[in-house]
Amino acid sequence: MDTEFLFLALGLAALFAGFVDSIVGGGGLIQLPALFAAFPSTAPATLFGTNKLASIVGTTSAAIQYSRRVEIPWRVAGPGALAALVGSWYGAKAVAYLDPAILRPLILALLVLVAVYTFLRKDLGSVSKEPEHGGRSVAIALGVGGAIGFYDGFFGPGTGSFLIFLFIRLLGMDFLRASVSAKILNVATNLAAIGFFAGNVELMWKLAAVMAACNLTGSILGSRMALKHGTGFVRRMFLAVVTVLILRLAYDTFLR
């Protein structure tokens, strides 16, 4: 395939991935399959690492965009990010010992439960119901960050969506507060995974740079749209992305 066309196609995929990911996560659902389709004979670890390089710029930009309009709850986001950093590092290491595909049925079931719960609870995440964050909130953030961080380093699909749902359900955030908190943790998981992959496998740096620029553009557009339209829009996007994740995982689990 012509290199220029390949870069263009992957750049467009990264643009759309950045747009979706900046709102509710799930950008890897678009970007990673595009990389695997373009480079079917390339080592998966190389593609995972290249995907993280392309994603982290957009994720960081989204966090900055949100922080200008939505206060970041650093009391929980900070410890959660540190736990996510450690969890993601060990998750990336675990890929060498376990097949990530073993998680598909479990993740599929969890996503179905998340979608059903969010759909039935119309008020979920519509307004912030956060308590004053103390030791209990910090402990929850550490647990969520460590567990989801490990998952992101090991497997990945739906990381942002899981973080948003858990921050809403366990810490009482609204969708916008949960989204900006999820971005902080996602930056940490991407950093850890990049650190591991860069030291252990060869990455496609030039391609990653092109995709990162496109992902950044999509991220700016998506975060601005989310801030403009508010929690209701983010909730609808959340349900749409989780539904697509369910369909994709169901196909990979039962039909492929």
Side-chain angles (χ1 to χ4, degrees):
M1 186 182 294
D2 185 78
T3 302
E4 288 78 8
F5 177 79
L6 190 64
F7 272 49
L8 175 62
L10 289 171
L12 289 173
L15 177 74
F16 187 43
F19 178 84
V20 172
D21 201 64
S22 68
I23 303 172
V24 289
L29 180 70
I30 302 159
Q31 199 164 263
L32 200 52
L35 281 166
F36 273 91
F39 301 98
S41 59
T42 301
T46 294
L47 300 181
F48 278 120
T50 302
N51 174 64
K52 294 295 185 186
L53 281 171
S55 299
I56 192 170
V57 176
T59 304
T60 303
S61 170
I64 294 171
Q65 292 287 325
Y66 280 111
S67 68
R68 290 172 178 168
R69 295 271 298 276
V70 181
E71 184 182 357
I72 299 174
W74 285 110
R75 181 67 189 262
V76 291
L82 288 175
L85 188 78
V86 176
S88 181
W89 175 271
Y90 283 102
K93 287 187 70 173
V95 174
Y97 305 101
L98 297 171
D99 181 2
I102 64 175
L103 286 180
R104 280 184 188 144
L106 174 61
I107 300 306
L108 179 59
L110 289 175
L111 283 169
V112 170
L113 290 175
V114 166
V116 171
Y117 186 88
T118 305
F119 181 79
L120 293 177
R121 289 286 303 273
K122 304 294 184 183
D123 63 334
L124 184 72
S126 59
V127 294
S128 178
K129 300 176 182 177
E130 291 177 69
E132 184 174 343
H133 294 307
R136 179 179 180 275
S137 294
V138 172
I140 291 172
L142 288 169
V144 169
I148 303 300
F150 182 90
Y151 169 73
D152 190 39
F154 183 64
F155 189 49
T159 294
S161 301
F162 279 128
L163 285 171
I164 289 171
F165 176 80
L166 290 171
F167 282 141
I168 293 171
R169 181 67 184 84
L170 300 179
L171 294 176
M173 296 181 184
D174 61 30
F175 268 100
L176 281 177
R177 292 265 290 180
S179 189
V180 69
S181 300
K183 296 296 173 291
I184 300 299
L185 270 69
N186 225 173
V187 170
T189 63
N190 284 344
L191 274 174
I194 288 170
F196 177 81
F197 286 125
N200 292 276
V201 299
E202 184 178 352
L203 301 179
M204 302 177 180
W205 294 96
K206 290 183 180 179
L207 175 60
V210 172
M211 293 180 70
C214 296
N215 191 283
L216 173 62
T217 303
S219 178
I220 293 171
L221 294 172
S223 53
R224 287 180 178 176
M225 185 171 288
L227 289 167
K228 179 180 179 180
H229 294 289
T231 57
F233 171 73
V234 179
R235 181 181 186 275
R236 291 190 294 273
M237 282 291 294
F238 176 83
L239 283 169
V241 169
V242 169
T243 300
V244 174
L245 277 165
I246 289 169
L247 294 174
R248 174 57 192 264
L249 284 173
Y251 172 78
D252 288 342
T253 303
F254 301 115
L255 299 177
R256 178 170 287 185

